Amino acid sequence: MPALDALACTGPWRHRHPGEKAALAFGLLCCAVALPPWPGALVVGVAALALLLGPAGLGPRRLVRAVRGPLVFVVVGALPLLFSVGGPTLVRLDPAGAGAALALAGRATAALLCLLLFAATTPVADALPRLVRLGVPPAVVDVAGLVYRLLFLLLDRIAAVRAAQAGRLGFRDVRTTFRSVAGQAGAVFVSAFDRARRMEHGLALRGEPGSLRVMLPPQRLSRRFLAGTGLLLAAVVTVSLVLA
C-alpha cells in the first residue's frame, strides 16, 4: 500500500466522517481559487500546512515525499510565464511575467496542500461509497473502486518483476536497463489485462445487479468540527481581504 494511503488508514482522523474532512479541505481549496493570489494563497497554504503537520499527523518527511512530485509540475507550468515570444528575439524574458508566474505557483501550491489534506486523512474506501448519495452513478463508483483495487495488484506485480530482473543483473548498464524496462512494461500490461478479464468474469458469474454494495461503519457528523471549519474559513477569508 502506498505511504499516503497507509497514513490515511492509520492517521488520527481515520474515524472522522469523510464529509467533515471534505468540508475542511475543499473549503480551503475554494478559498485558494477564489481569493487573490496574494495574500490569499499564502494564508490558505499556511493554514493547510499547519493542519497537515498538526492535527492530521502527516509529518515533515512524509509531507516532502508527497508534494515533491506535484511541485515539479507546478514549477514546469509556471516557468513558461517568465518568457514571451516575438519581438527582436524569438524568445525573451518578460519582466511582467514574474508576477503571473509567482501567482500561479502560489495558488497551485496552496491548492495542492488542500487536496493533500483530504487525501492524507480520508481512505478511498470510505469516500467512494458515499459518492452515490451525492448523485454519482453507481456504475462510475464501482469502476473507480475496481481500478483503485487493481492499482495495488499492479504495484505488487511491478515490484516482483523488478526484483526478478535485478536478480538477473538486468540493470547493470544502460542497454540492459532499457531492455528490462521494456520487458517490465510488457509483463505488467499482460498481467493487468488478465486480472481485469478475470475480475469481469467473476462479477458476471456472481450475477451482480450493477453495483457492489459495501458495509460502511456508522459515523456521524461532528457539529463541533464543522463549526471549527466554518470559523477557520471565515478567518482565512477575513485575513486575506484585510491584507490584500
Side-chain angles (χ1 to χ4, degrees):
M1 179 180 291
L4 197 61
D5 295 290
L7 178 64
C9 293
T10 59
W13 286 359
R14 168 65 176 84
H15 299 290
R16 286 198 171 276
H17 196 285
E20 301 173 4
K21 295 173 282 190
L24 175 60
F26 294 112
L28 288 174
L29 178 62
C30 292
C31 292
V33 174
L35 293 174
W38 174 259
L42 178 62
V43 175
V44 172
V46 170
L49 185 62
L51 291 171
L52 283 169
L53 296 178
L58 185 59
R61 292 185 178 180
R62 290 175 175 175
L63 177 63
V64 172
R65 287 198 297 267
V67 302
R68 62 187 178 185
L71 282 180
V72 173
F73 289 93
V74 173
V75 174
V76 172
L79 283 179
L81 297 178
L82 299 175
F83 302 91
S84 61
V85 180
T89 58
L90 182 60
V91 180
R92 59 185 176 84
L93 285 173
D94 187 3
L102 290 175
L104 174 63
R107 198 187 294 273
T109 303
L112 170 63
L113 292 175
C114 296
L115 292 176
L116 183 61
L117 178 61
F118 182 77
T121 57
T122 309
V124 176
D126 288 352
L128 280 181
R130 291 179 169 86
L131 294 179
V132 179
R133 303 176 184 177
L134 299 179
V136 179
V140 176
V141 176
D142 293 340
V143 170
L146 293 176
V147 171
Y148 179 72
R149 170 60 180 164
L150 191 59
L151 285 177
F152 294 106
L153 301 177
L154 293 181
L155 289 175
D156 292 338
R157 179 62 175 170
I158 291 173
V161 173
R162 186 174 182 84
Q165 291 175 334
R168 297 195 300 267
L169 301 179
F171 300 98
R172 62 179 182 273
D173 54 34
V174 177
R175 182 178 180 181
T176 56
T177 298
F178 275 109
R179 184 184 303 171
S180 298
V181 171
Q184 184 183 59
V188 172
F189 175 78
V190 173
S191 177
F193 188 82
D194 180 63
R195 287 182 181 273
R197 183 177 58 183
R198 285 187 293 169
M199 188 179 296
E200 180 185 4
H201 288 171
L203 293 175
L205 292 175
R206 288 167 57 187
E208 291 295 336
S211 63
L212 301 176
R213 297 182 180 180
V214 297
M215 182 177 295
L216 296 174
Q219 292 177 317
R220 299 182 62 181
L221 292 171
S222 173
R223 296 183 179 180
R224 181 178 301 179
F225 189 92
L226 294 177
T229 297
L231 291 177
L232 176 62
L233 296 179
V236 167
V237 174
T238 302
V239 172
S240 300
L241 296 179
V242 169
L243 297 179

